[in-house]
Amino acid sequence: MKTKQKLRSVLNTVVLTAVMSLSLSQIAHAAKWDEKMKPAEVEAALDKKFEEGNYSPKGADTCLMCHKRNEKVMAIFQGVHGAITSSKSPMAGLQCEACHGPQGKHKGANEPMITFGKDSTLPAEKQNSVCMSCHQDDKRMNWESSHHAGADLACASCHSIHAANDPILSKETETEVCTSCHTKQKADMNKRSSHPLKWNQMTCTDCHNPHGTNADADLVKPTINETCYSCHAEKRGPKLWEHAPVTDNCANCHNPHGTTNDAMLKIRAPQLCQQCHAGEGHTGAAYLGNTSVGGMVNGSAFTGGQSCMNCHSQVHGSNHPSGKLLQR
């Protein structure tokens, strides 16, 4: 009998503890400002707090009373934004509140603070205004017209501030961060003919400025060709005999992110060449079985090996006096 009473008492205690824990968790969950306030209300509350400017006199010490157990929060002290010895670091000034806004009556989650990233209720423009208040230089002067800004992307979507090393700023991990969104380019760079992005011998920012430029596709140079010539200087002109598609745009024939064809060609020759050049009457007309075409049996000069490049090897232009047909 006594055993049953003890067991019942233990069960009652367990149930009561579980109910209290559930109730407390629900209360704590319901008290979060980001769930009980609409996005517009959060934004209005933050604007009001900035007008009042009620910053904490103890700075980060006040914040860490609640947040020091969070490893992601504490990781900021391992990076440049948490460097207390740097005059350029937020920790040298308003500390946590330099980015997250004045504390006001936030203690106990009574008032909202600025949060960053995809889970934030604030629009990307509002989040980015905090970052851009410090990071405004010639590399970011075109941010407003960039593709990322046009897609309402927040800085924190790519950058990790509370980290010892921001993955997007490391050559070893930059491409991985970029291709988490740019999945088509990720597929292309893993095709058999591509730039060495998957081996981190190149990075996306070698060609693109993610913060925007005045060029197409946010290229680091004014044109596609100038960007390509940064590495492929041997293709640069002027040439005595030029190939019009080449001088116009390298991407007319190549996909710089990679293809299944040799030399990153968009389409295999002769089909690529025949987009501009008709094959009729040519000595290397298209393959027609065992028929002799234009004096060439089986059209082998046209379909074998390098196809059109068997004869026209200097497709990027020729400086030879007799190179009108780009053959030498």
Side-chain angles (χ1 to χ4, degrees), residues 32-44:
K32 289 183 178 180
W33 49 264
D34 58 347
E35 293 186 4
K36 68 179 182 179
M37 298 174 68
K38 295 180 180 178
E41 294 175 332
V42 172
E43 192 171 353

Side-chain angles (χ1 to χ4, degrees), residues 64-78:
L64 296 179
M65 289 175 64
C66 297
H67 296 287
K68 65 181 178 181
R69 294 182 181 179
N70 190 318
E71 293 182 1
K72 291 184 177 179
V73 171
M74 298 304 291
I76 193 172
F77 294 104
Q78 301 173 24

